[in-house]
């Protein structure tokens, strides 16, 4: 069994690393789940600190609401078109 504290640290490290891949003006897909939520929070912090814009599409209503509440621009995927990058957690592999 994985120690919850280690799991949380791993999720935060993964989210923080993913935020570094984001460039101003990108069109992002925002996933769903615990790690994706951490990513959205970290992303919003970076966007606010650096003052750039993004266009985001979310895979769930919860992610869309979180991103919007943090000041990220969330749109429908059909309105954005293609995505430059999609970030989601990987809690299951097959």
């Amino acid at each position: 069994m994985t120690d919850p504290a280690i799991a949380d640290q791993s999720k935060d490290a993964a989210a923080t690393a993913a935020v570094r891949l984001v460039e101003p003006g990108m069109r992002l897909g925002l996933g769903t789940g615990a790690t994706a939520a951490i990513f959205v929070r970290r992303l919003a912090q970076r966007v606010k600190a650096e003052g750039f814009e993004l266009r985001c599409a979310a895979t769930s209503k919860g992610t869309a609401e979180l991103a919007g509440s943090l000041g990220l621009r969330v749109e429908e995927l059909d309105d954005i078109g293609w995505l430059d990058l999609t970030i989601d957690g990987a809690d299951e592999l097959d």
Side-chain angles (χ1 to χ4, degrees):
M1 181 178 268
T2 303
D3 180 338
I6 293 172
D8 288 346
Q9 289 173 350
S10 297
K11 290 176 184 183
D12 187 60
T16 300
V19 167
R20 290 188 202 113
L21 300 174
V22 177
E23 297 176 12
M26 278 186 151
R27 299 169 188 210
L28 296 179
L30 305 177
T32 301
T35 306
I38 296 168
F39 169 78
V40 169
R41 288 184 181 92
R42 295 276 185 239
L43 177 64
Q45 289 171 343
R46 180 172 170 219
V47 167
K48 184 177 180 180
E50 296 180 24
F52 63 86
E53 291 189 24
L54 302 168
R55 295 177 72 188
C56 303
T59 59
S60 71
K61 183 177 179 181
T63 299
E65 289 174 354
L66 174 62
S69 74
L70 296 171
L72 296 174
R73 179 179 172 186
V74 181
E75 303 175 56
E76 295 295 322
L77 181 57
D78 289 342
D79 295 332
I80 292 178
W82 54 271
L83 298 173
D84 296 303
L85 182 66
T86 300
I87 304 292
D88 200 355
D91 60 349
E92 191 173 316
L93 297 173
D94 190 6

